[in-house]
Amino acid sequence: MEATNILPILKKRLAFLSGGKDRRSGLILTIPLCTEQTSMEELSSTLDYLLGIPSDKCKARGFTVIVDGRRSQWNIVKTVVLMLQNVIPAEVSLVCVVKPDEFWDKKVTHFCFWKEKDRLGFEVILVSANKLTRYIEPCQLTDEFGGSLVYDHMDWVNKRLVFEKFTKESTSLLDELVVINESEKSNQLDKERPPDCNFLPSVDPETVLQTGHELLSELQQRRFNGSEGGGVAWSPMDDELLAQPQVMKLLDSLREQYTKYQEVCRQRSKRSQLEEIQTKVVNWLEGPGTEQLRTQWGIGDSIRASQALQQKHEEIESQHSEWFAVYVELNQQIAALLSAGDEEALVELKGLQQQLSDVCYRQASQLESRQNVLQSAHEFHGTAQDLSQQLDGLLGMLCADMAPADGAAIQQTLKHLEEKLKSVEGALAGLREKGQVLMDQMSNQTTWSYGKDVPIENKENIDHIQGVMEDMQLRKQRCEDMVDVRRLKMLQMVQLFKCEEDASQAVEWLGELLDALLKTHIRLGDDAQETKVLLEKHKKFVDVAQSTYDYGRQLLQATVVLCQSLRCTTRSSGDTLPRLNRVWKQFSVTSEERVHRLEMACSFHTAAEKVLVQASPEQGDLRVEVEQETYEEVETVGKALLDRLTVPVIFPDGSEQYFGSPGDMASSAVHIRDKMKLVEDRKLTLHEEDEDFEQLQYDQIHDQDEELQDDEDLQDDQELPEVDKELQDGEELELETNTQKS
């Protein structure tokens, strides 16, 4: 029963517990009867309420009931006493009926309470107010019974209302907090269980705690056993009546549960905030963020387009970075909660952290994958652009007209072409490599959609990459074919320049041979043998010149063929062929002249040596008579040779050229004249010797004639013909000698 339910009855002060105690430490229950008719029902309700306040321990010590009947009628007093039997028979140990001074004397004999003790269960005594102190100490009696105990009934009622309100609210709040705290633990253990919607308590815990502290402070400041110094108007009830320990216990329990509740609220608020932020992060990353990445799948068709896509991706990364920063801060908060949380909260927080980390790392991985694809695409398009420019440059070189100055320039141009082609091949290989890397990256690229990885359709991008590589391959192949044609043409031009250069060199060589023939091939030999050797050398020399001329002719013929093959109508052998023919004709004329001179010299030396050898004194008797024709031949050939030495070589163009220097020719002429003079001297010597020889023969013959004169007669028939023959031979010899001398 609560005081609020019977508040009007309690205010009537039909009964009260003043806090006083009898000598057995039992509580004193006072029932002040008034002159007005007392409602037994209201009194019974009041007693039921009052008897519910003390503790069982206090009730076990029994109650002393003071029934103040001084202003009431006897029958009412008797009714109240009898009612006590029904209300609290076991708890009542003594009933003191305060009688008026002039009242009930005759009527008491009609009803003796002491005789009814066994039936009532407690002792009833009639006592006047001034004698009540025999049973109860004055300090335990209120002033209306002559005691000093201060009691303010309305103040007690108000405090009781406060106490009961606090008890009710604190108990209810405590139960609610316990339920909330336990429910929070259950929710943490059972993740599938929905959270309790009735999260807030019905009353404000701070208000209840404040009320309890004020009540406890009031109880602790004023004791029921009387004031110290007598300055207070009323002291609160005993601890057993007002249950100060109960208030303290409730406050302690409430503070404990409220602290837990605050922690639960803080944790739940923190988790709620984390979950809310996490939900926002996850929803954005899996929603708009994923949609941005899903729609950005192209790689562009040029380096400028890929740069624009990279710039767009940087904007997407910037937006993601803001959410990633939120994730980092949120992760730090979760880590702080993990370090301070209990075991039940760890699982949930770790799950929250893991889910957030998975989403963020997955999104970051997709961003990085996309960035790698765009970077590879940029490199691919950059390489394709560089390769295209190289191919354009190479094609421009191939399409340009060739006007090389010489073979070295052609070789340099050809080397430049080869370097260009090699560079193109390297760039194409790099393009293939980068294209393959890009296609591999795109084939492994996935996006997160509806809770699972979904491959991105990159067929269009892959077709574009393959198309670019195939186009570059075709362009490179066309350039290679053109380079092959240009290389062949340039090699032919190199060969043409080489042939022209070698032909010019052949002309120079032939001119050098001509100069050597004219300037160094001037000796005619000192004798026939040497002249023959010179003639053989000259033939070899002419063979060399002939080979040089033939080589030059072949080169010029090859030049004509190459010009026809190259369709180079502007180029021809030029003046090389006329120069070659002119030099060759000059050489031929000079060579023929050289041969004539050597042959004449050989004839001269042969005839001269024949004369000199046959007419040599060393021959003695073996000398052979030199014919007159031989002398004539020597003289004729010698003079002709001397005349030839003075005659220049006349070339077909009318120009003239002498062999050697004038000194060289003079030296050769002197040598020939000396030899001719030697032959002439030998001829004169031989003529004189022939005359002496004839005289000697004549003398010998004369002597023989004289010696054989005697035998002539005997041998006339035999010796005469022999003598005639000898004479005839002598005459012929003499005739020959004379002829030679002449």
Side-chain angles (χ1 to χ4, degrees):
M1 184 180 298
E2 297 180 359
T4 54
N5 297 333
I6 58 171
L7 182 58
I9 300 176
L10 290 177
K11 289 183 177 180
K12 293 180 179 181
R13 199 170 177 265
L14 298 178
F16 62 88
L17 290 170
S18 62
K21 296 181 181 180
D22 58 15
R23 290 185 175 88
R24 298 186 306 275
S25 297
L27 292 177
I28 298 175
L29 176 62
T30 304
I31 302 176
L33 299 177
C34 59
T35 55
E36 299 178 358
Q37 184 67 30
T38 301
S39 173
M40 293 297 111
E41 184 178 356
E42 293 179 353
L43 179 59
S44 176
S45 298
T46 302
L47 293 176
D48 290 338
Y49 173 75
L50 293 176
L51 293 176
I53 295 176
S55 62
D56 293 338
K57 182 179 179 181
C58 185
K59 290 179 182 180
R61 291 197 292 268
F63 289 91
T64 295
V65 181
I66 300 177
V67 180
D68 187 3
R70 290 177 293 179
R71 293 187 297 275
S72 180
Q73 299 176 1
W74 165 248
N75 57 346
I76 295 176
V77 173
K78 184 174 66 172
T79 302
V80 170
V81 173
L82 294 176
M83 185 183 64
L84 292 175
Q85 178 186 8
N86 298 325
V87 178
I88 48 174
E91 286 81 3
V92 176
S93 59
L94 176 64
V95 177
C96 296
V97 179
V98 180
K99 64 179 181 175
D101 295 337
E102 298 177 355
F103 190 63
W104 300 338
D105 291 337
K106 294 181 180 181
K107 296 180 181 180
V108 172
T109 58
H110 297 290
F111 182 81
C112 295
F113 287 106
W114 62 273
K115 293 181 180 180
E116 300 293 333
K117 179 180 180 181
D118 295 335
R119 185 173 66 85
L120 293 174
F122 49 78
E123 181 181 1
V124 180
I125 60 173
L126 295 174
V127 63
S128 58
N130 54 3
K131 295 181 180 179
L132 192 57
T133 55
R134 294 180 182 178
Y135 305 98
I136 301 172
E137 294 294 333
C139 63
Q140 302 296 325
L141 294 174
T142 59
D143 57 353
E144 56 189 320
F145 298 112
S148 60
L149 180 63
V150 178
Y151 173 73
D152 186 345
H153 183 69
M154 291 309 297
D155 191 23
W156 178 87
V157 170
N158 292 333
K159 288 293 186 289
R160 187 64 190 177
L161 289 174
V162 173
F163 169 75
E164 288 185 355
K165 180 181 178 182
F166 167 74
T167 303
K168 180 180 179 181
E169 291 180 350
S170 61
T171 303
S172 175
L173 177 61
L174 189 60
D175 294 339
E176 291 178 1
L177 293 178
V178 171
V179 171
I180 291 172
N181 294 336
E182 293 298 329
S183 175
E184 180 67 18
K185 290 184 179 180
S186 300
N187 292 335
Q188 292 177 359
L189 296 176
D190 188 3
K191 301 300 179 184
E192 297 180 356
R193 180 180 176 182
D196 189 3
C197 297
N198 189 17
F199 181 75
L200 296 176
S202 58
V203 295
D204 183 16
E206 294 289 345
T207 303
V208 176
L209 285 173
Q210 183 178 0
T211 302
H213 284 299
E214 292 176 355
L215 180 60
L216 182 61
S217 176
E218 184 71 20
L219 294 175
Q220 290 175 345
Q221 290 176 1
R222 302 168 67 186
R223 299 296 179 182
F224 184 76
N225 57 0
S227 62
E228 297 179 1
V232 294
W234 175 80
S235 296
M237 294 179 294
D238 193 289
D239 294 344
E240 293 176 337
L241 293 178
L242 203 53
Q244 179 179 343
Q246 183 180 0
V247 175
M248 296 179 64
K249 183 178 180 182
L250 284 173
L251 285 175
D252 292 340
S253 300
L254 190 59
R255 277 194 296 267
E256 179 182 359
Q257 292 300 325
Y258 183 57
T259 302
K260 293 181 179 180
Y261 170 75
Q262 287 180 317
E263 181 65 22
V264 168
C265 290
R266 189 184 68 82
Q267 294 287 346
R268 176 170 288 189
S269 175
K270 193 68 174 179
R271 284 197 298 272
S272 177
Q273 294 177 1
L274 294 177
E275 291 175 356
E276 182 180 359
I277 298 175
Q278 183 249 2
T279 302
K280 290 182 180 179
V281 173
V282 172
N283 289 342
W284 190 90
L285 292 178
E286 292 185 347
T290 302
E291 185 65 20
Q292 287 180 348
L293 288 177
R294 190 178 64 82
T295 55
Q296 295 293 322
W297 55 269
I299 60 172
D301 56 357
S302 64
I303 188 171
R304 181 175 299 178
S306 64
Q307 288 175 347
L309 289 174
Q310 280 186 322
Q311 184 176 1
K312 179 64 176 177
H313 184 72
E314 289 176 357
E315 295 176 359
I316 295 176
E317 281 186 335
S318 178
Q319 295 179 10
H320 279 75
S321 298
E322 297 177 0
W323 290 100
F324 287 156
V326 175
Y327 156 70
V328 172
E329 182 179 357
L330 193 61
N331 196 29
Q332 293 175 352
Q333 295 178 7
I334 293 176
L337 290 176
L338 285 174
S339 61
D342 52 7
E343 296 182 358
E344 292 79 3
L346 292 179
V347 178
E348 180 181 1
L349 291 174
K350 287 182 178 179
L352 182 65
Q353 186 182 38
Q354 186 63 40
Q355 179 189 8
L356 190 60
S357 298
D358 291 343
V359 173
C360 290
Y361 281 120
R362 181 171 55 249
Q363 200 74 0
S365 177
Q366 292 181 4
L367 285 172
E368 183 180 5
S369 176
R370 174 63 179 167
Q371 177 64 29
N372 293 336
V373 168
L374 290 177
Q375 182 65 31
S376 299
H378 184 269
E379 295 177 357
F380 174 78
H381 290 306
T383 304
Q385 181 175 332
D386 294 341
L387 178 58
S388 179
Q389 293 175 354
Q390 292 183 23
L391 289 171
D392 292 341
L394 181 59
L395 185 61
M397 289 183 61
L398 294 172
C399 294
D401 294 334
M402 291 188 304
D406 51 19
I410 294 178
Q411 291 286 357
Q412 185 66 26
T413 304
L414 184 59
K415 181 179 179 182
H416 189 48
L417 274 178
E418 296 290 348
E419 291 176 353
K420 282 276 189 181
L421 184 60
K422 186 175 181 181
S423 177
V424 166
E425 291 177 350
L428 182 59
L431 181 67
R432 290 197 191 99
E433 181 180 356
K434 288 181 172 59
Q436 187 61 45
V437 170
L438 180 56
M439 288 189 292
D440 292 341
Q441 289 178 345
M442 288 191 299
S443 61
N444 297 328
Q445 190 178 12
T446 58
T447 185
W448 182 258
S449 178
Y450 301 105
K452 61 180 180 180
D453 289 330
V454 178
I456 297 178
E457 185 62 35
N458 286 308
K459 185 177 183 304
E460 183 177 348
N461 292 331
I462 293 176
D463 291 343
H464 170 69
I465 295 171
Q466 292 176 346
V468 170
M469 292 192 294
E470 291 174 358
D471 179 62
M472 293 299 173
Q473 176 64 33
L474 291 176
R475 292 179 61 186
K476 182 251 184 184
Q477 187 62 45
R478 287 195 297 269
C479 287
E480 278 186 343
D481 296 339
M482 295 180 68
V483 167
D484 292 338
V485 175
R486 179 59 63 90
R487 183 188 296 112
L488 179 60
K489 187 174 181 180
M490 296 182 74
L491 289 176
Q492 289 178 343
M493 292 192 69
V494 170
Q495 190 174 3
L496 174 61
F497 279 112
K498 183 64 176 175
C499 289
E500 292 178 348
E501 182 181 354
D502 291 346
S504 299
Q505 185 66 43
V507 174
E508 292 179 3
W509 288 344
L510 201 57
E512 291 175 358
L513 291 175
L514 177 60
D515 291 340
L517 180 60
L518 290 171
K519 294 179 180 180
T520 61
H521 292 208
I522 56 177
R523 294 188 72 255
L524 298 177
D526 295 336
D527 52 27
Q529 183 66 31
E530 185 180 359
T531 302
K532 291 179 180 179
V533 172
L534 290 175
L535 191 59
E536 289 297 326
K537 290 182 178 179
H538 178 72
K539 289 181 179 179
K540 294 180 181 180
F541 185 77
V542 171
D543 292 339
V544 172
Q546 182 68 46
S547 300
T548 303
Y549 172 72
D550 294 340
Y551 177 65
R553 292 281 297 182
Q554 292 174 359
L555 291 174
L556 292 176
Q557 291 176 358
T559 301
V560 174
V561 174
L562 289 173
C563 287
Q564 293 175 353
S565 176
L566 293 171
R567 298 179 181 178
C568 185
T569 58
T570 59
R571 297 191 63 86
S572 63
S573 59
D575 62 343
T576 305
L577 181 59
R579 286 174 53 231
L580 179 65
N581 292 330
R582 183 175 65 253
V583 174
W584 175 247
K585 289 179 180 180
Q586 292 176 354
F587 183 86
S588 298
V589 172
T590 306
S591 175
E592 290 175 359
E593 180 64 24
R594 173 67 174 168
V595 170
H596 290 323
R597 292 186 181 189
L598 286 175
E599 288 177 351
M600 291 177 66
C602 183
S603 299
F604 171 76
H605 287 302
T606 300
E609 288 174 0
K610 182 178 180 181
V611 172
L612 294 176
V613 172
Q614 291 179 355
S616 175
E618 287 80 6
Q619 296 290 330
D621 295 338
L622 298 177
R623 286 188 304 174
V624 179
E625 186 175 354
V626 180
E627 296 180 357
Q628 184 64 31
E629 291 81 1
T630 304
Y631 288 104
E632 293 176 357
E633 181 182 1
V634 170
E635 184 176 359
T636 302
V637 173
K639 290 180 179 180
L641 184 58
L642 289 174
D643 294 339
R644 196 126 191 165
L645 291 177
T646 60
V647 176
V649 179
I650 301 175
F651 296 141
D653 58 356
S655 60
E656 298 178 353
Q657 184 70 36
Y658 288 93
F659 277 97
S661 63
D664 295 333
M665 292 298 99
S667 176
S668 298
V670 169
H671 179 70
I672 293 172
R673 290 190 183 94
D674 290 342
K675 199 160 190 177
M676 289 176 65
K677 186 175 182 304
L678 181 62
V679 171
E680 183 66 25
D681 292 342
R682 180 59 53 88
K683 178 181 178 182
L684 293 175
T685 303
L686 287 177
H687 183 69
E688 292 176 357
E689 289 179 354
D690 286 342
E691 289 180 353
D692 293 340
F693 181 69
E694 288 178 357
Q695 184 65 37
L696 178 61
Q697 283 184 342
Y698 180 78
D699 292 340
Q700 288 179 353
I701 293 171
H702 182 72
D703 291 340
Q704 288 178 357
D705 288 341
E706 290 179 355
E707 289 178 356
L708 295 175
Q709 188 67 37
D710 294 337
D711 296 333
E712 288 180 355
D713 294 336
L714 297 174
Q715 298 179 352
D716 288 337
D717 297 333
Q718 298 177 350
E719 295 179 354
L720 185 58
E722 295 177 357
V723 172
D724 293 337
K725 184 179 181 182
E726 290 178 359
L727 290 175
Q728 185 179 355
D729 292 337
E731 292 175 356
E732 293 177 356
L733 179 61
E734 183 178 359
L735 180 60
E736 183 179 358
T737 303
N738 293 330
T739 303
Q740 290 178 354
K741 288 181 179 181
S742 62

